[in-house]
């Protein structure tokens, strides 16, 4: 269902254009064309030729339907159902506030109550004599679909029961996917993948680590359906088992979304709401802004949607500040029910993917680098603690004098600085914190074991805005971050220019210890 305002929104172009390209013949949209929005008659700001617009998308358009004539609308829907090669737009001319003699056809009926006097006038105009909230029996019966619905449901259940007898494995798989459950051996599959990725110990960008994880995990999850907003080669979202969907092949699992970040994220929300799909999609982190409303709705509605956001900092280099996300990771962390992971190597990336796949109560953002990052050596216990959002990556033999907290590409800096400081006789603990929201959900005992309240000298380092890190370092701590936009230059020069170096971290740590 669409209104005038809906068709003014940019997302209407994104998704309707793609629907036409993919020839989604099962899609029928009813356009309530009443020429009114909140500010009044839309002619002053909306003069599109909607029919020609949708015809240019490749839609079938049924125009000039009386939106107050149920039989005319029903006939138009049946006509739309007859076309399996094109989506259909049914343009219904309506009068907003129909039946209100003094306010119909005006913005006065858009969002405000009619008022007692106008309600009396409307009842008279419509010939409506029933008491408020009383539905005449003949009308109630005509709208009562319980019996028909029960018959249809029973027919479907009988059909599926016969199907289950003939194809029990396929029926069980269908039920599993529609229930949003993971395979029974999922934990074994995921843990084996993480172990093998750890053994390989590759030095790669975490966007490449994400692809490695996808190749390891996705074959066991045929419900996974993904895509990218025209950045597949950069986001690395197309794994070895990906089969692109096209107008001639609906059996794939990968969508070429084109440059449609908002539409892409909304479509993935819809796939999850439909059931039977585990959606993921990718773009540059800085372009997550284009998707903001769809991200918020996913979080608000508790929709599982895995967002692959690459090129996560000034580390992307010469593209400059327009493409260098500074505030984006922090803003995603601020969104209620949005889980955010910024992993530091292949192992943390695999664990982040496992967490995102298992988290069915909301969306997860995976924030990934363009540049290669070194593998961090860990014990089995440390690997098991990654899933808790933060853990001790390196510790001193005695009580730490200082704690270094880092995420993503800055973990390697913290480890390098810790080595130098340790050689100088300073007791250093390094905390990798790939997911602050997951860490905050841990019990107090675990959080205290990672960040003891008795150790107040702390330094946090992340290539982004600093505000949220002060909660972890306190008034005696320091934060190395970026509270300004980046510049256009090679990544190595930018990191040095903005103080993301081992030498600067050592200097800041020593200053904090004074």
């Amino acid at each position: 269902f669409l209104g005038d305002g809906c068709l003014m929104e940019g997302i209407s172009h994104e998704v309707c254009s793609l629907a036409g390209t993919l020839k989604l013949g099962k899609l029928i949209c009813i356009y309530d064309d009443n020429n009114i929005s909140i500010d009044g008659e839309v002619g002053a700001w909306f003069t599109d030729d909607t029919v020609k617009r949708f015809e240019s998308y490749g839609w079938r358009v049924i125009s000039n339907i009386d939106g107050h004539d149920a039989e005319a609308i029903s006939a138009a829907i049946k006509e739309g159902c007859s076309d399996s090669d094109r989506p259909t737009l049914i343009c219904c001319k309506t009068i907003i506030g129909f039946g209100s003699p003094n306010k119909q056809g005006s913005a006065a009926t858009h969002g405000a109550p009619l008022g007692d006097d106008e309600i009396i006038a409307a009842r008279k105009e419509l010939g409506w004599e029933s008491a408020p909230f009383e539905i005449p029996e003949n009308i109630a019966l005509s709208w009562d679909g319980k019996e028909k619905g029960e018959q249809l449901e029973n027919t479907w259940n009988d059909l599926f029961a016969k199907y289950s007898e003939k194809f029990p494995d396929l029926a069980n798989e269908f039920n599993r996917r529609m229930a949003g459950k993971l395979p029974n051996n999922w934990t074994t599959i995921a843990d084996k993948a993480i172990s093998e990725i750890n053994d390989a110990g590759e030095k790669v960008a975490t966007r490449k680590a994400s692809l490695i994880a996808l190749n390891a995990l996705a074959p066991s999850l045929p419900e996974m359906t993904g895509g990218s907003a025209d950045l597949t080669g950069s986001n690395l979202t197309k794994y070895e088992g990906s089969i692109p969907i096209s107008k001639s092949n609906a059996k794939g699992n990968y969508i070429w979304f084109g440059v449609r970040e908002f539409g892409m994220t909304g479509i993935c929300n819809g796939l999850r709401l439909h059931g039977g799909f585990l959606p993921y999609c990718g773009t540059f982190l800085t372009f997550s802004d284009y998707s903001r409303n769809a991200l918020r709705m996913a979080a608000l509605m508790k929709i599982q949607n895995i967002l692959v956001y690459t090129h996560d900092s000034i580390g992307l280099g010469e593209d400059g500040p327009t493409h260098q996300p500074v505030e984006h990771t922090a803003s995603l962390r601020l969104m209620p029910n949005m889980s955010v992971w910024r992993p530091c190597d292949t192992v943390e990336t695999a664990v982040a993917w496992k967490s995102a796949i298992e988290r069915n109560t909301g969306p997860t953002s995976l924030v990934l680098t363009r540049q290669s990052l070194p593998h961090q050596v860990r014990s089995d216990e440390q690997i098991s603690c990654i899933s808790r959002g933060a853990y001790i990556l390196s510790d001193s033999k005695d009580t730490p004098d200082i704690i270094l907290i880092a995420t993503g590409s800055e973990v390697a800096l913290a480890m390098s600085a810790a080595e130098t400081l340790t050689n100088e006789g300073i007791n250093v603990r390094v905390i990798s914190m790939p997911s602050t929201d997951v860490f905050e959900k841990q019990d107090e005992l675990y959080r205290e074991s990672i960040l003891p309240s008795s150790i107040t000298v702390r330094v946090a380092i992340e290539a982004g805005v600093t505000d949220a890190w002060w909660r972890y370092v306190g008034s005696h701590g320091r934060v190395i971050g970026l509270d300004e936009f980046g510049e256009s230059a090679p990544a190595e020069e930018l990191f040095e220019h903005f103080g993301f170096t081992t030498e600067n971290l050592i200097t800041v740590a020593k200053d904090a210890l004074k």
Side-chain angles (χ1 to χ4, degrees), residues 26 52 61 83 104 143 162 213 215 320 342 358 428 434 472:
K26 291 184 178 181
K52 289 183 179 178
V61 180
D83 192 337
Q104 66 178 9
W143 281 87
K162 294 176 182 177
N215 278 321
R342 187 172 186 252
E358 293 175 353
V428 184
Y472 294 109

Side-chain angles (χ1 to χ4, degrees), residues 178-198:
M178 292 305 294
K181 295 180 179 179
L182 295 171
N184 291 332
N185 60 342
W186 163 250
T187 300
T188 301
I189 293 168
D191 290 347
K192 180 176 182 290
I194 292 168
S195 177
E196 291 175 350
I197 288 170
N198 179 62

Side-chain angles (χ1 to χ4, degrees), residues 160 163 167-175:
F160 189 71
Y163 176 83
F167 306 104
D169 291 341
L170 290 175
N172 288 336
E173 178 68 5
F174 175 82
N175 285 329

Side-chain angles (χ1 to χ4, degrees), residues 11-83:
I11 190 175
S12 73
H13 168 70
E14 293 185 27
V15 296
C16 293
S17 167
L18 184 59
T21 297
L22 294 178
K23 297 186 178 297
L24 302 184
K26 291 184 178 181
L27 177 61
I28 296 176
C29 293
I30 298 177
Y31 169 33
D32 177 16
D33 180 10
N34 58 39
N35 204 44
I36 296 291
S37 64
I38 292 175
D39 279 347
E41 295 187 13
V42 301
W45 51 86
F46 182 58
T47 57
D48 299 13
D49 188 328
T50 300
V51 171
K52 289 183 179 178
R53 172 187 166 187
F54 276 77
E55 286 177 343
S56 74
Y57 292 152
W59 285 53
R60 177 178 192 163
V61 180
I62 303 172
S63 58
N64 296 317
I65 299 298
D66 182 352
H68 302 288
D69 185 336
E71 292 183 359
I73 297 172
S74 179
I77 293 173
K78 289 179 181 178
E79 184 180 343
C81 289
S82 68
D83 192 337

Side-chain angles (χ1 to χ4, degrees), residues 295-337:
L295 295 176
R296 188 173 186 271
M297 291 305 295
L300 186 154
M301 297 175 67
K302 301 180 181 179
I303 300 170
Q304 185 174 19
N305 190 351
I306 302 173
L307 299 316
V308 180
Y309 291 140
T310 68
H311 296 61
D312 72 338
S313 73
I314 55 173
L316 65 86
E318 289 88 345
D319 279 348
T322 58
H323 284 54
Q324 293 166 357
V326 174
E327 74 280 20
H328 295 74
T329 302
S331 69
L332 288 169
R333 288 177 180 145
L334 283 173
M335 187 178 292
N337 198 38

